[in-house]
Amino acid sequence: GHGNLNLSGALALSCNTYFYNFSFDIGYEKIYKTAQNLSFNQSLKLCDGIYTAKGNLPKEENLSNIAHLANFSIGQGELLLSPISMLNLYCSIAGDGSYCVPSLIEAKIENGSLTPIKENSPTKVMKPKTAEMLREYLMGVLEEGTGEKAKPKTVSAAGKTATAQTGKFRGGKEINEGWFCGFFPALDPKYVVIVFSEDDSKQSLTCAEIFANIADDITDLK
């Protein structure tokens, strides 16, 4: 195994067993409340006529079973999330503990007049000090962990790799979904990016490499 790890090391190395035990120490009630604050079980309006998938949270009482809680602690089991749900999580880390549900519409033009869309109200998920700590830890994922391929050439960044099992098989092999969720610049974020692949076996580039390319391209444009 990885030996003794703290939270920073567990994030960098994607150590599942650390998060199993961490969830047992914290207790399912606090974790479930945070998931609700992140709107993980809600359909979110992005603009008129376009909503995100609702996703799924397990029943809170089921998490009193440590097997269910262990799965929940690493995003497996009954938990289902859309890329926008993950965007809310990473926006809260990048945004000093709060996020606003994103909008696809920046402004409306009517009779030649442009009216900006009012930003959604922020939802606080964590203390600013906690968000700052997580930004530093997620930066370590790219510097010395599983996310090295996500490291851009032109700007500092932070984030996390992930692989989601689908339970679907092709030719006897399970189809897995690939993720990279991150933001840049690392300690003073301006952009949050979620890269999602429905079948990582068909990718010519990993989600981490795509993230790095996006970060470099946006930075070069500036």
Side-chain angles (χ1 to χ4, degrees):
H2 295 122
N4 292 327
L5 288 177
N6 57 14
L7 178 57
S8 176
L11 281 170
L13 298 174
S14 289
C15 180
N16 288 345
T17 52
Y18 178 92
F19 293 102
Y20 299 157
N21 288 285
F22 199 38
S23 68
F24 302 158
D25 289 340
I26 295 173
Y28 69 87
E29 296 93 346
K30 291 181 180 178
I31 301 173
Y32 196 85
K33 180 64 175 177
T34 300
Q36 289 182 314
N37 288 342
L38 286 161
S39 302
F40 277 1
N41 59 340
Q42 296 180 32
S43 178
L44 305 173
K45 181 180 178 180
L46 302 180
C47 67
D48 289 345
I50 299 181
Y51 293 79
T52 68
K54 185 177 180 180
N56 185 67
L57 278 178
K59 293 181 179 179
E60 184 175 3
E61 57 267 26
N62 290 349
L63 297 179
S64 60
N65 180 307
I66 63 169
H68 288 287
L69 180 56
N71 272 334
F72 188 55
S73 74
I74 59 168
Q76 294 193 5
E78 298 176 66
L79 181 67
L80 295 174
L81 298 177
S82 70
I84 296 296
S85 292
M86 292 302 292
L87 181 68
N88 288 342
L89 169 59
Y90 277 79
C91 281
S92 68
I93 297 171
D96 287 330
S98 298
Y99 74 93
C100 298
V101 175
S103 171
L104 291 175
I105 307 297
E106 186 175 4
K108 290 183 178 180
I109 298 176
E110 190 174 4
N111 298 325
S113 176
L114 187 146
T115 304
I117 296 297
K118 184 179 179 181
E119 188 178 71
N120 290 310
S121 300
T123 299
K124 185 175 181 180
V125 182
M126 63 189 79
K127 295 178 181 178
K129 187 174 182 180
T130 302
E132 180 183 10
M133 178 188 69
L134 288 173
R135 289 197 294 271
E136 294 177 1
Y137 288 0
L138 289 169
M139 189 176 181
V141 176
L142 274 63
E143 296 294 335
E144 52 194 28
T146 60
E148 289 180 329
K149 290 183 178 180
K151 188 176 180 180
K153 298 176 182 177
T154 58
V155 65
S156 63
K160 186 74 181 71
T161 55
T163 301
Q165 296 172 281
T166 65
K168 301 175 183 177
F169 291 81
R170 184 194 305 115
K173 186 176 181 180
E174 186 170 18
I175 298 171
N176 291 321
E177 297 168 340
W179 292 77
F180 188 86
C181 309
F183 45 81
F184 60 94
L187 300 180
D188 184 23
K190 305 298 182 187
Y191 302 93
V192 179
V193 177
I194 307 298
V195 183
F196 171 72
S197 168
E198 291 184 323
D199 184 351
D200 60 8
S201 69
K202 294 186 176 182
Q203 291 180 252
S204 57
L205 292 175
T206 65
C207 292
E209 290 170 315
I210 294 169
F211 170 86
N213 289 343
I214 291 172
D216 283 329
D217 287 348
I218 289 177
T219 304
D220 286 342
L221 286 174
K222 295 171 65 179

